[in-house]
Amino acid sequence: MSTVARRRTGFATAAQAWAGQAGSAYRSWPWWVQVTVIYASARLVSACIFMAAALHQGPNPWFPAKPDYWNFINIWDARWYGEVIANGYPSELPTDAAGNVQENAWAFYPLFPALAGGLSRLTGLIPAASLTLLAMLAGWGAALVVYTLFRHRVSHVPALWGVAFFATFPVSAILQVPYAESLSLLLLAAALLLVVRRHYLMAIPVVVLLCLSRPIGVPFAAMLGLVLVYRLLERFRSGGAAGLPAGNHTFGEMAALTGLTAVAGVSALAWPAAAWAATGDFQAYTKTETVWRGHDLVPFKPWFDTGVDLFGPVLGLLAPFVFVALFGLMLFLPPVVRLGVELRLWCACYMGYLLAFLHPQTSTFRMLLPLFPLALGAVLLSRSRAYRGTVVTMFLLLQIVWIVWLWAWAQLPGGGDYPP
């Protein structure tokens, strides 16, 4: 064996030994440290992708070309949250000369800017810095709670892989920018955890805050309603009407679940009601939300319109039904069934909400993050490290696509750009 070959062999052996030692040390750390390492590593990779994309950012509406990392992540909706901190919400909806409502701050829920504004006042940080710091801390907290939630269904290792899938998902870079997604996911994961643990009364304040973070209260209330129906059917099937526990649910737990469902339903309407009270327009929130889509809200119709645009007049009308059928079948796959009733119902209700009220566009990818319980289902498809490592690698590569295609701004021929 030549000297060069011996050196290469020695280097490979040393690298393998070092990797083995590092792996052993990692496995000996507390679970929250392991989760933190996974999440921080994922965010570091995303930061590198952001910085590389920023080097190629040309002229745009916010700053000169080739911005630094901090300026680059403080664009798009981040500017609206800064506007809320600086000026609050308008008492009158802005309109154009024809009386059409224009884009305004009522589309952005209040919890994220309220917390960031309070942080700015306490620390003296500028709003953009407070928004960014809050988003990053909330994303870290979400990863910790997601792991805890997954541990209710699986052992330590697959739960860690579930966090890895969650932290590297192609749009997970949004968790480190000044958007409300990270805070909303933290509250959503916490609310789901409390529901899974049947701590329904403890979940009430979490659900109220969740409904003030993003427009996610309607599907969550629907999920709770279906869980309540499911538990009632369990009770009647097992003779619970005679006063005995059924499905391991006592009468007190059933009453608490009923109260939580009611609170969630009312809280889901709190922000539209606040917009109505402040502006005097009953449809203030709805009118504001539909400004970005360019037409009035007609449930389900945008999906058929998009289907026709993509696949033609025949296949396009069938496409939404095919999608719903495939998604429904997926919820009954054995790895997904292991998620449990609550998490599966959440995924079903949230997807139903998107189908009913979302206008499918490039922002749809970002709005899929609340389906994060399916990350654990994806992990459970196979125990192979090669499979799981390949998924993480593909997710990271697709982050490059998402950031370069949607986050970086490049004017379209007709003006503007696709939103992330």
Side-chain angles (χ1 to χ4, degrees), residues 6-221:
R6 284 196 298 271
R7 287 177 178 174
R8 288 177 177 172
T9 302
F11 176 78
T13 303
Q16 289 175 353
W18 179 87
Q21 293 173 355
S24 298
Y26 174 78
R27 287 189 292 272
S28 68
W29 294 341
W31 70 266
W32 62 270
V33 177
Q34 295 182 44
V35 171
T36 298
V37 169
I38 291 173
Y39 187 77
S41 299
R43 298 286 65 80
L44 179 60
V45 172
S46 298
C48 291
I49 299 172
F50 272 123
M51 288 186 283
L55 293 175
H56 301 278
Q57 175 65 68
N60 58 87
W62 301 286
F63 41 65
K66 296 184 178 181
D68 61 25
Y69 170 79
W70 302 107
N71 276 317
F72 191 54
I73 65 172
N74 274 275
I75 59 176
W76 297 104
D77 289 356
R79 296 303 176 101
W80 280 108
Y81 289 115
E83 167 68 17
V84 172
I85 293 175
N87 301 310
Y89 294 93
S91 57
E92 294 183 6
L93 297 179
T95 58
D96 61 14
N100 299 309
V101 174
Q102 300 298 289
E103 296 178 359
N104 66 87
W106 281 110
F108 301 91
Y109 277 53
L111 183 61
F112 183 54
L115 292 177
L119 182 61
S120 289
R121 289 187 290 272
L122 285 174
T123 63
L125 291 172
I126 62 173
S130 294
L131 288 164
T132 303
L133 178 60
L134 178 59
M136 291 194 293
L137 291 176
W140 175 35
L144 295 172
V145 179
V146 165
Y147 169 85
T148 307
L149 176 62
F150 287 173
R151 282 291 279 120
H152 274 265
R153 302 303 180 201
V154 296
S155 59
H156 173 68
V157 172
L160 278 181
W161 277 107
V163 172
F165 281 20
F166 164 75
T168 59
F169 191 67
V171 297
S172 65
I174 203 71
L175 300 177
Q176 66 198 73
V177 306
Y179 272 48
E181 267 76 3
S182 54
L183 178 61
S184 182
L185 285 173
L186 169 60
L187 294 168
L188 173 61
L192 288 172
L193 177 61
L194 291 170
V195 170
V196 168
R197 289 179 171 175
R198 302 178 183 179
H199 296 165
Y200 301 125
L201 295 181
M202 292 176 60
I204 287 177
V206 179
V207 170
V208 171
L209 293 175
L210 173 65
C211 293
L212 295 175
S213 65
R214 278 188 53 76
I216 204 170
V218 169
F220 198 86

Side-chain angles (χ1 to χ4, degrees), residues 174-325:
I174 203 71
L175 300 177
Q176 66 198 73
V177 306
Y179 272 48
E181 267 76 3
S182 54
L183 178 61
S184 182
L185 285 173
L186 169 60
L187 294 168
L188 173 61
L192 288 172
L193 177 61
L194 291 170
V195 170
V196 168
R197 289 179 171 175
R198 302 178 183 179
H199 296 165
Y200 301 125
L201 295 181
M202 292 176 60
I204 287 177
V206 179
V207 170
V208 171
L209 293 175
L210 173 65
C211 293
L212 295 175
S213 65
R214 278 188 53 76
I216 204 170
V218 169
F220 198 86
M223 180 272 292
L224 289 173
L226 291 177
V227 170
L228 177 60
V229 171
Y230 179 82
R231 297 303 178 198
L232 286 172
L233 291 175
E234 264 191 336
R235 173 169 293 280
F236 288 126
R237 282 199 301 265
S238 59
L244 299 174
N248 295 322
H249 267 65
T250 66
F251 281 119
E253 287 177 332
M254 295 298 292
L257 176 56
T258 302
L260 175 61
T261 304
V263 170
V266 172
S267 299
L269 303 176
W271 188 238
W276 174 22
T279 64
D281 189 333
F282 176 71
Q283 295 181 302
Y285 174 74
T286 305
K287 288 179 179 178
T288 298
E289 277 286 0
T290 55
V291 169
W292 273 267
R293 65 181 66 189
H295 54 77
D296 292 337
L297 172 64
V298 180
F300 302 106
K301 182 177 180 294
W303 289 88
F304 291 98
D305 293 341
T306 301
V308 170
D309 291 340
L310 292 176
F311 306 112
V314 178
L315 292 179
L317 293 177
L318 294 176
F321 294 106
V322 173
F323 173 78
V324 169

Side-chain angles (χ1 to χ4, degrees), residues 259-401:
L260 175 61
T261 304
V263 170
V266 172
S267 299
L269 303 176
W271 188 238
W276 174 22
T279 64
D281 189 333
F282 176 71
Q283 295 181 302
Y285 174 74
T286 305
K287 288 179 179 178
T288 298
E289 277 286 0
T290 55
V291 169
W292 273 267
R293 65 181 66 189
H295 54 77
D296 292 337
L297 172 64
V298 180
F300 302 106
K301 182 177 180 294
W303 289 88
F304 291 98
D305 293 341
T306 301
V308 170
D309 291 340
L310 292 176
F311 306 112
V314 178
L315 292 179
L317 293 177
L318 294 176
F321 294 106
V322 173
F323 173 78
V324 169
L326 292 176
F327 188 84
L329 288 174
M330 180 198 64
L331 292 178
F332 289 93
L333 293 175
V336 181
V337 171
R338 287 183 61 183
L339 299 180
V341 171
E342 293 89 352
L343 299 186
R344 290 168 65 211
L345 282 176
W346 162 248
C347 292
C349 289
Y350 184 70
M351 182 54 71
Y353 172 78
L354 293 183
L355 289 170
F357 299 110
L358 177 68
H359 176 71
Q361 53 173 311
T362 48
S363 295
T364 304
F365 301 116
R366 170 170 57 89
M367 296 179 186
L368 296 178
L369 272 175
L371 294 171
F372 72 85
L374 295 177
L376 183 58
V379 168
L380 296 176
L381 280 174
S382 172
R383 295 182 179 181
S384 166
R385 290 184 181 179
Y387 157 73
R388 293 172 177 178
T390 299
V391 171
V392 169
T393 301
M394 292 304 300
F395 279 177
L396 291 174
L397 291 175
L398 288 172
Q399 277 194 41
I400 300 174
V401 176

